[in-house]
Amino acid sequence: MKTKRFSDEDLMKFADGELDNKELSMDILSKLLEDTPESEILAKRLEVFTSTRNALLNAVIGDKK
């Protein structure tokens, strides 16, 4: 298995829409669209950041009752 191609920091920025590097963003998207074991691993890594981001947003600005 290859080493990590994308850092956790880059994936976190990507998940938050704050990755300023368009080329790197396209590389991440391209890799996610592949049908390979590496793309599945990348999707699982990215899911960690998107799910925690969503949980944090819901906790901070979620339903105010």
Side-chain angles (χ1 to χ4, degrees):
M1 175 185 262
K2 292 182 180 180
T3 58
K4 289 183 185 177
R5 182 172 172 192
F6 306 109
S7 71
D8 287 345
E9 182 178 359
D10 288 338
L11 290 178
M12 188 181 327
K13 288 179 182 179
F14 180 81
D16 290 343
E18 296 178 1
L19 185 58
D20 292 331
N21 185 329
K22 290 180 183 179
E23 184 176 329
L24 184 56
S25 293
M26 290 305 295
D27 287 345
I28 292 170
L29 285 173
S30 294
K31 182 55 91 175
L32 287 168
L33 293 174
E34 291 177 5
D35 187 20
T36 63
E38 288 94 5
S39 67
E40 291 179 25
I41 292 168
L42 179 60
K44 289 177 184 177
R45 288 178 59 211
L46 186 58
E47 173 64 24
V48 171
F49 298 114
T50 57
S51 63
T52 55
R53 176 184 186 273
N54 291 340
L56 179 61
L57 285 173
N58 287 335
V60 173
I61 61 171
D63 294 331
K64 306 273 186 189
K65 295 181 180 179

